[in-house]
Amino acid sequence: MVKVLNGELSAHATAITSPAGRQIHPAGVGVTVCIPARNEEQNIAAIIEGAQSFCEEVLVVDGHSSDRTVEIAARCGARVVKDNKKGKGDAIRVGAAAAKYPIVVFMDADGSHDPADIPALVKDIQDGKADLTIGSRGKGGSDELHGDVLKLIRMIGSDIILIGINLRWKQSLTDCQNGFRAIRRDVILSLGLKENISTIEQEITMKCLKMGHVVTEVPSHEYARKYGVSTIILRRVWFRFVYSFLKHLI
């Protein structure tokens, strides 16, 4: 039997070898759920409480909130760390470095992800079949990609980038940008991530594929934000998605 001490493999544990020949932690190791959040006092409690049943640690990476996000997160039992005020990409890097356990699940703080999907997200990694698993809106549907012109443009742009990634690395992924994903902590720390905004997700996907890591996906529905408004303004960031895609394609 594999023994796990403080979320890490014991000296007598035997690691699983991935299809690409790398070692992957066996089933039973701990999971950190990492939630980047800024001014999400209305959403954060339900997300933390929903995630706690499926992990050993909930880590909230606070973007220097001016509301009660930090207070509520701490009261709900989450560990809270601060990011460097650079955006979501920075928060993900900070969260990966601060996580205590070998598998890290990232989920958004707006209530768009269902914590009940966490076991499916981590299963391939625990079973030694993947290094990164993405919650696919292509398979599970989305309330955020349909209904008006801007959402249509966003969906078309995402699909063009996705097709380029699939052609470049001979994949058949149906989502490369969803923030709801699980990854081996040692893998994400090895990627040398640079993006500071929500382009971080496609950077993670592309760098994993470029380095030969195994990427899988499971269906996951994206729900509409429960409270508040989205901080993503498409006209301000679309060029960054294109630039990031082209930069990491080679």
Side-chain angles (χ1 to χ4, degrees), residues 119-141:
L121 271 179
V122 302
K123 188 177 187 303
D124 275 357
I125 299 175
Q126 290 179 328
D127 290 348
K129 297 178 180 178
D131 302 299
L132 164 67
T133 298
I134 300 168
S136 171
R137 297 165 296 181
K139 293 181 176 180

Side-chain angles (χ1 to χ4, degrees), residues 77-215:
R79 183 161 63 96
V80 181
V81 298
K82 296 283 187 180
D83 67 17
N84 300 300
K85 296 185 178 182
K86 294 180 181 179
K88 185 181 183 181
D90 170 61
I92 284 178
R93 290 193 296 272
V94 169
K100 292 181 178 179
Y101 294 94
I103 299 174
V104 185
V105 173
F106 292 98
M107 60 188 305
D108 292 345
D110 59 4
S112 59
H113 303 145
D114 186 351
D117 289 340
I118 292 173
L121 271 179
V122 302
K123 188 177 187 303
D124 275 357
I125 299 175
Q126 290 179 328
D127 290 348
K129 297 178 180 178
D131 302 299
L132 164 67
T133 298
I134 300 168
S136 171
R137 297 165 296 181
K139 293 181 176 180
S142 173
D143 299 340
E144 292 288 334
L145 294 178
H146 308 282
D148 60 40
V149 173
L150 286 179
K151 289 179 180 179
L152 176 63
I153 293 171
R154 177 184 168 193
M155 183 176 66
I156 292 172
S158 295
D159 278 350
I160 290 172
I161 288 173
L162 176 64
I163 290 169
I165 290 173
N166 282 336
L167 289 173
R168 169 64 176 84
W169 285 287
K170 297 180 174 58
Q171 300 292 305
S172 56
L173 298 174
T174 59
D175 198 331
C176 65
Q177 296 175 339
N178 194 9
F180 196 25
R181 52 184 57 205
I183 190 169
R184 289 170 47 200
R185 180 174 179 267
D186 61 326
V187 168
I188 192 169
L189 293 178
S190 74
L191 296 179
L193 299 173
K194 302 296 184 184
E195 296 292 323
N196 283 326
I197 62 172
S198 51
T199 47
I200 189 77
E201 280 94 9
Q202 73 182 36
E203 181 189 12
I204 291 171
T205 303
M206 296 177 77
K207 284 189 171 180
C208 277
L209 292 170
K210 185 180 294 187
M211 295 176 68
H213 295 300
V214 180
V215 179

